[in-house]
Amino acid sequence: MNPVYVAIKRMPGSEDVPLPAYMTERAAGMDLFAAVSAEIVLPPGKRCLVPSGFALALPEGYEAEIRPRSGLALKNGVTVLNSPGTIDSDYRGEVAVILINLGEEPFIIRRYDRIAQIIVKRTASVVWEIKDDLEATGRDGGGFGHTGNI
């Protein structure tokens, strides 16, 4: 697989925070680390914005998606609120993660905690073509629960 080269910049005061990193050899997503200056206590039902300590410049034709970490979701009920969050190729601000605590206990976010994952993907530029009819398929308009499994 050919790598995609992405320019990345550390934010002032976050030079010690690890950059996104793959935790295993074949991981699809890189873990993001919290660049908080002080602990954040996230009460149940509340959300917060957690800085990552970096900005990036994605190549044109790419986006980055911010996704939850499965362990945080399962063990603590903490997830990414706008999942997946999209970072466009023209955004140059600090990457930050909107976390929400859907668990029953307060959750503490500390500097260097792994809080989410980032995946860089190709995008397509779409041009809409107005049609009177669409090509038929076996599914056609079948939607939520149409196969009997919701």
Side-chain angles (χ1 to χ4, degrees):
M1 185 181 322
N2 293 330
V4 175
Y5 292 88
V6 177
I8 193 165
K9 171 183 134 180
R10 292 181 186 273
M11 302 306 289
S14 297
E15 295 82 4
D16 60 321
V17 176
L19 294 176
Y22 294 107
M23 294 294 114
T24 64
E25 183 179 325
R26 292 170 39 184
M30 292 177 270
D31 282 2
L32 294 182
F33 299 84
V36 295
S37 55
E39 289 183 353
I40 296 174
V41 177
L42 185 58
K46 299 298 181 183
R47 62 188 176 271
C48 67
L49 188 64
V50 182
S52 68
F54 71 91
L56 46 74
L58 293 163
E60 187 174 342
Y62 286 85
E63 59 126 359
E65 293 182 355
I66 305 300
R67 299 181 180 187
R69 292 192 61 239
S70 58
L72 283 182
L74 177 63
K75 295 174 186 171
N76 305 103
V78 174
T79 190
V80 176
L81 187 57
N82 63 325
S83 181
T86 299
I87 301 169
D88 297 308
S89 65
D90 59 350
Y91 178 69
R92 295 296 182 267
E94 181 173 11
V95 173
V97 179
I98 304 169
L99 291 182
I100 187 166
N101 183 354
L102 300 175
E104 298 172 359
E105 301 292 328
F107 182 75
I108 299 173
I109 302 161
R110 296 176 178 91
R111 193 171 184 87
Y112 314 123
D113 281 353
R114 295 183 294 155
I115 55 167
Q117 295 185 72
I118 187 170
I119 294 177
V120 175
K121 299 175 70 176
R122 283 190 180 275
T123 59
S125 182
V126 174
V127 177
W128 299 114
E129 294 183 46
I130 304 295
K131 303 285 184 177
D132 291 330
D133 294 301
L134 301 177
E135 176 186 332
T137 68
R139 180 179 182 178
D140 275 337
F144 299 101
H146 84 281
T147 63
N149 297 322
I150 295 179

